[in-house]
Amino acid sequence: MKVFSKALFACYLLVLLWLILFKLSFDLSPVLAYRTRSVNWIPFALSSFTISREVLYNCVAFIPFGLLLSVNFKRTGFWRKLAAVFAFSLAAEAAQFVFAIGITDVTDLITNTLGGLLGLTLYKISNRFMSGEKLDRLIVLAGMILLGLSVFLRVLFFDVTYYSAPPL
């Protein structure tokens, strides 16, 4: 069971990085061609529809992070796990800035961390109603199914397109 949970966590992190940095695209040339650095330091500065969608997507994408941290690092305290979620999100946002691929946004950092917090809290609450071993099995099984399904759907059905910046 531990091997599957660790493998799932590793795959999840790779897919999450692929999502954050390359928006699940296989064609990296448009991403890498758009080489501009942009930082948004003002949280929730966009329109309300854009904010609502972004908050939802970022939170949902990071809920498994909290769940899988809880499955794989039982002896690590809650705040250290939350700090790991924050650090991962900060590193991903920093990578976007350093490699000039995407917009570095403080809103993403906040909402990613919020999603991880939701996952950690969901695990903690669920653990009160179900034994830890059963809960871990359920999370790993559901995670493997969802990860496989997500990659399968992305590969076969969903095309990701980028809009190139006009030449300078």
Side-chain angles (χ1 to χ4, degrees), residues 47-66:
S47 71
S48 61
F49 175 74
T50 304
I51 289 174
S52 298
R53 192 177 70 211
E54 180 180 339
V55 167
L56 179 66
Y57 289 167
N58 287 348
C59 283
V60 168
F62 271 76
I63 288 172
F65 201 143

Side-chain angles (χ1 to χ4, degrees), residues 22-164:
F22 304 114
K23 309 304 182 238
L24 301 178
S25 178
F26 290 118
D27 181 14
L28 302 183
S29 57
V31 178
L32 299 176
Y34 186 74
R35 311 253 329 147
T36 185
R37 288 182 173 84
S38 178
V39 179
N40 176 24
W41 291 106
I42 303 169
F44 308 101
L46 300 172
S47 71
S48 61
F49 175 74
T50 304
I51 289 174
S52 298
R53 192 177 70 211
E54 180 180 339
V55 167
L56 179 66
Y57 289 167
N58 287 348
C59 283
V60 168
F62 271 76
I63 288 172
F65 201 143
L67 292 170
L68 290 169
L69 273 174
S70 296
V71 169
N72 286 292
F73 300 97
K74 297 226 178 278
R75 294 184 182 177
T76 304
F78 182 86
W79 294 107
R80 285 186 185 234
K81 291 176 196 169
L82 186 60
V85 173
F86 176 81
F88 180 88
S89 180
L90 181 62
E93 292 297 316
Q96 284 182 320
F97 181 79
V98 168
F99 297 116
I101 50 174
I103 298 171
T104 302
D105 193 345
V106 71
T107 303
D108 292 348
L109 184 60
I110 293 167
T111 55
N112 294 348
T113 305
L114 178 62
L117 174 64
L118 289 171
L120 291 168
T121 305
L122 183 62
Y123 185 88
K124 197 169 191 172
I125 291 170
S126 299
N127 206 15
R128 291 182 181 163
F129 300 102
M130 183 182 289
S131 76
E133 192 174 315
K134 284 183 181 178
L135 180 59
D136 292 353
R137 281 189 192 140
L138 179 66
I139 290 170
V140 170
L141 179 63
M144 293 175 99
I145 291 168
L146 288 172
L147 182 64
L149 185 61
S150 298
V151 171
F152 174 75
L153 290 173
R154 166 55 191 100
V155 170
L156 292 181
F157 298 109
F158 298 115
D159 188 31
V160 178
T161 56
Y162 284 93
Y163 298 100
S164 300

